[in-house]
Amino acid sequence: MQPDMLQAQQRFHIRQRVRLMVNQYEVLAVAPDGSEGQLLAFAQQKRLAFKEQVTLYTDDSKQQPVLGFKARQALDLGATYDVTDAAGNPVGLFRKNFAQSLLRSTWHVEQAGLPEVTGQERSLPVALLRRFVDSLSWLPYHFDFTAGGQPVFSVVKKWGLRDRYVVEIQHPQIDRRLVIAMAIALDALQAR
């Protein structure tokens, strides 16, 4: 995942792999015809970890880490997650707004030099169904992330047997690594 090439991307696909003891995700470029393109990154999260952490690698051999995010606290309903590059340098952070998320999931994303970005589920009825009817927790959702009323990026969960997401980026300066981390977190951390 070359930062310059990655920063030029306006759209990504994220696909979850079904595994027993870990959550795994493939971050894919978008091919010219709109289908899934080349692998940009591979992410893995251990389930039931004491302190949430996800590492992204160049591929599924997991030899070269390129990015990661980790909770600052072990147990916190509104935990803050620091996003760092492979060398441990900060890229940004995101946190869940626990109070607002009781009805409609709400996240805040911060990157130095940009205003705070707030993301929320677009549909209140879908959000309520997903929360209060366990058998409907699989329903697709759509998150819109904005700053000052302007769109920054969106994450759409698609219908299907496996979790699949389309990420659209409207703001040219938002770090794509931060967007990818947030998009993966929506799947990996959403139920917490």
Side-chain angles (χ1 to χ4, degrees), residues 20-191:
L20 187 59
M21 295 305 293
V22 296
N23 284 330
Q24 294 181 335
Y25 303 90
E26 296 171 323
V27 179
L28 305 157
V30 176
D33 66 358
S35 65
E36 295 176 351
Q38 76 179 64
L39 181 70
L40 297 171
F42 174 80
Q44 181 166 304
Q45 172 209 27
K46 290 183 182 178
R47 291 186 186 152
L48 304 172
F50 182 65
K51 194 171 187 180
E52 294 295 342
Q53 181 173 351
V54 175
T55 304
L56 284 84
Y57 303 90
T58 54
D59 58 37
D60 61 3
S61 70
K62 298 181 282 187
Q63 298 298 308
Q64 185 177 354
V66 293
L67 177 66
F69 63 88
K70 184 176 183 177
R72 288 183 182 173
Q73 306 87 0
L75 296 173
D76 185 1
L77 298 175
T80 297
Y81 296 84
D82 292 303
V83 180
T84 56
D85 65 14
N89 299 314
V91 172
L93 63 88
F94 58 85
R95 68 183 180 288
K96 190 171 190 176
N97 184 319
F98 178 72
Q100 285 187 329
S101 294
L102 291 174
L103 294 179
R104 187 186 300 187
S105 292
T106 303
W107 293 83
H108 301 284
V109 180
E110 295 180 26
Q111 175 183 322
L114 295 180
E116 182 176 284
V117 175
T118 301
Q120 190 172 56
E121 287 179 273
R122 179 181 283 179
S123 171
L124 180 58
V126 170
L128 293 172
L129 284 171
R130 289 180 51 249
R131 277 163 188 66
F132 298 114
V133 182
D134 284 341
S135 63
L136 296 178
S137 62
W138 54 268
L139 280 172
Y141 53 74
H142 185 132
F143 273 82
D144 292 310
F145 288 81
T146 62
Q150 297 300 310
V152 177
F153 67 97
S154 64
V155 179
V156 179
K157 181 178 180 181
K158 300 304 226 176
W159 288 96
L161 296 175
R162 294 190 302 182
D163 290 344
R164 293 180 311 115
Y165 302 86
V166 175
V167 179
E168 299 269 353
I169 302 165
Q170 294 85 18
H171 194 290
Q173 293 159 331
I174 188 85
D175 193 311
R176 293 347 187 224
R177 299 170 299 175
L178 184 57
V179 171
I180 289 169
M182 181 74 253
I184 290 170
L186 287 176
D187 185 271
L189 308 173
Q190 189 63 9

